[in-house]
Amino acid sequence: MKELSARSIVGAILLTLTGTIALSAELENAQVKAQAIERLLAENAGTEVRTNAATGTADFVRLPQNVRTRVRAAAVTSRNDAAMQFISRHATALGLRIGSADIKLRKSERDRLGRSHLTYEQEYGGVPVFGARLKAHFNDGDQLEALSGTLVPDLAVSIAPSRSPEEAADTAIQWVIFKLGVQNLSAARSRLMIFREGLAKGVPGDNHLAYEVEVSNGVNVREFVYVDAHTGKFIDQITGTPDALNRRAYDGNGGTFGEVLAIWPDFPFWVEGDAFPTSDSEADNMLLASKETYDLFANAFNRDSYDDAGAPLDSIFNRGYSCPNASWNGAFISFCPGLTTDDITGHEWGHAYTEYTDNLIYQWQPGALNESYSDVVGETVDRINGRDVLLPNNPRSDNSCSMFGGTPLPELTISGGTAAGSYFVTASVNEPPTPFTVGPTPMAASEPAGACTAITADVDDKIVIIDWTLDGTGASECGSGTRAANAIAAGAAGIIFVAPQSGLLNLGSNAAIASVQVSYDDGATIKTGLPADATIVFAAGTDDSVLWLMGEDSTAPGLDGALRDMYAPNCFGDPGKVSDEVYACDLAQNDAGGVHSNSGVPNHAFALMVDGGSFNGQTVNAIGLTKANHIQFRAKTHYQGPATDFAGHADALEQSCADLTGTNLASLTDGSPSGEIISSADCGEVAKAILAVELRTAVSQCGFEPLLAKDPPPLCPGGFWKTQPLFIDLFERGILRLLNRRPWKVSHDGTTPDFTERDWEVVAGLPGDRWGRAFFGPDPTYGTCAPGGDETAVLHADSPEIRVPKKNRRNPQDKALRMAFDHWVGSESGWDGGNVKISVNKGPWTLVAGEDFIYNPYNINAFGIDFLIPTPPSTNPIGGEQAFSGADGGSVEGSWGRSIIDLADYAAPGDKIRLRFDFGNDGCGGAFGWYVDNVAVYQCRN
């Protein structure tokens, strides 16, 4: 009994160990930055500071008047000196190395308000840092009043590339071919830079020396691909051809890429000075709107074309590829037939102006701001040109949809079965004319589940449930149009699309059938509750107005009419505030993290500023189109940078409004004094619009999940006292190792001659403030994935032999044999990772399968294989096996969790077993590694 009591004590300790020994290096870095920001605030009382979620450093600093008088340039030539003195004093808070010369002054300008703006760009050892720009703003008295922008901290990478530009270009081209399915691509240019992962997304990430490769076909493909200059691995891809209408997989039915290239730029259809109108109405629409956009920026903002240097406005109409769509490709705008409307043309030119001002990264919230500003330009052109004489431009009413496009969110009601009730749903872009009701009608699950081929299940005159299935790369198995067509062919009365786990999508579907989309979890509930009936209700819009609709005049086949509503984004399934359920959280579904849908949030803020309205507890009084446009453009040109997110946009709007207070603004139509003067009350309305759409609210509904769940069940059914330990190692000393007096055996294999000696080891200083010591398998960040630096290996940690007790007369029944361990995973996702193996009676090592985990199984079913085509194939010795790999969602680090395994199918009473923790890595690139603690093998007593 004494021995069992001791084991019970050990088991209890196993369940309760917590505490703190040391902060990880990452936590220490965060603490240093936080202390530096506290110092900035302490030394400059009254200063406002906003920090960047991706870097932990200050990216907007607004100085109060008492500080401005201290930080003043003595003369025009010393503004840089004054700014640099403040920047250097607070380098750590801003993301710079103390004493470094990592930022360079690139531009100094004085605006029409008499204020000066200095633009700095960050370098590291002479290599530019992607998206890293800081601006210093001086008032008309040459006092420093604000700093804005994002710098990248913690720079410690080798700037001598291990791979050539040609190798990077080849990887980039192959990647784009793989992702877009197009050929005839080339690398237009390549440049070396420091690239920070997660900067646009707003999450922490690693710094890389990388090649930025511009991959293009000269027409409609312009992708910026980032390739690690040491490992040759793909890092990220950002599009350089923003689309106004979102990419939808329709085949082109007109001219080819080559035909467009053959006419541009040497054979124009029309040049300035030729007779107008032309012989083609599409060309006339495009040319008129191009002039109207140019005039807007020239008159209101004194800007000469998008580059402010008189660049020609090249544009192409009646293109026949990638239709229906329109785009800016860095050289010209182009349109499929039916899309040369004034607002869509203005939208495309808006992308050009963005590229030459704040150059917002086309991903996540910066990308949504990019799209939103193009909508602002398009709607402004539409409202001031006086050409919309046939459609009503009546004021909009709060939270109502237009009669000319969009509908209130549809309703889905399930009757009968266990899933009965109402569900939140969104509509596709293409739906039958509203209002209408489908049902109550029986539901049936599609077979195949994704409906990418002909549906074989009986769905005739039923509402078919279609799962949004993915292929092996994580991309959509097929488009919504294909799935809808198969549903129509099978006689379905309607469709319920079940979104992937990553979240709701923007779907096209088909106007011949009603379709709604439910969340992944709701879809599972509905399918479990079959048989049951469903009723789908679509209401109609009530506002007799086309105000704030984007593309309402378009006549393109498949995209006829409006695609977005800036005043009521929900009418097209887009979020009107950050906390909306339809906020897009996914990068993989070809919309760069929701750039077209999440643009609804800043769109809504702009619309509320212009026309006013009540929303989300705020009543915003209108400040008008002129004031709102001046505030927006000043924010873009002076306070925003490539990585600006929604919160940064809010800061930029408020600062720009404060700057413009008391100014007689230039007219949007002719540049003359408009008589419209911004007041402090107007700035109060801007602040209310920001609150209404929650620009400063953190996105919580995306809910990046930890890799390991945090609520494990008891080790045995019936509680702790049913647990009978056979083996325990807490990796501590003294009584804490009572049941493991024998050492583990560590070894490695699968290595190359370049392998750097390393093995599992017991370490202290655990991540996550965890007390004590644990086993650690490192995931090295060094290596080149090539001869001379190939760090490929698998590290083994083998337990001592453990004997499973035989049956006896006192207890002849089998006892459940289990294993439990606490662990922390932070590895290079998809390439490096670990798993558990077992050897019985000195037999071969066998992988413990994921289906035998009771809690926290492997998160990757097969990793380390070449599923990341076309990046280099993995050399990981345990590639292709189930494993723990990666880190917590939205992070590069892990967090502690417990896994419990049922070993009953592997060993019988009387067997002798050994357990192995394997951690494998490929030849380069890593993160932290795998920490394993509190390993226990035990039986559950009856």
Side-chain angles (χ1 to χ4, degrees), residues 911-930:
D911 284 341
K912 296 178 180 179
I913 64 172
R914 297 181 72 192
L915 297 166
R916 166 177 282 185
F917 289 97
D918 268 353
F919 186 83
N921 61 272
D922 68 350
C924 61
F928 299 94
W930 193 14

Side-chain angles (χ1 to χ4, degrees), residues 168 171-173 175-176 191 210-215 223-227 234-238:
T171 294
I173 291 169
W175 180 267
V176 176
R191 62 174 180 151
Y211 288 105
E212 177 189 72
V213 183
E214 182 181 345
V215 178
E223 300 293 322
F224 294 96
V225 181
Y226 300 87
V227 179
F234 166 86
I235 303 171
D236 204 348
Q237 175 185 350
I238 299 172

Side-chain angles (χ1 to χ4, degrees), residues 65 80 215 361 368 381 472 509 525 562 668 808 850 872 909-910:
Q65 185 58 49
N80 179 44
V215 178
I361 297 168
V381 167
S509 194
T525 300
L668 301 181
N808 56 53

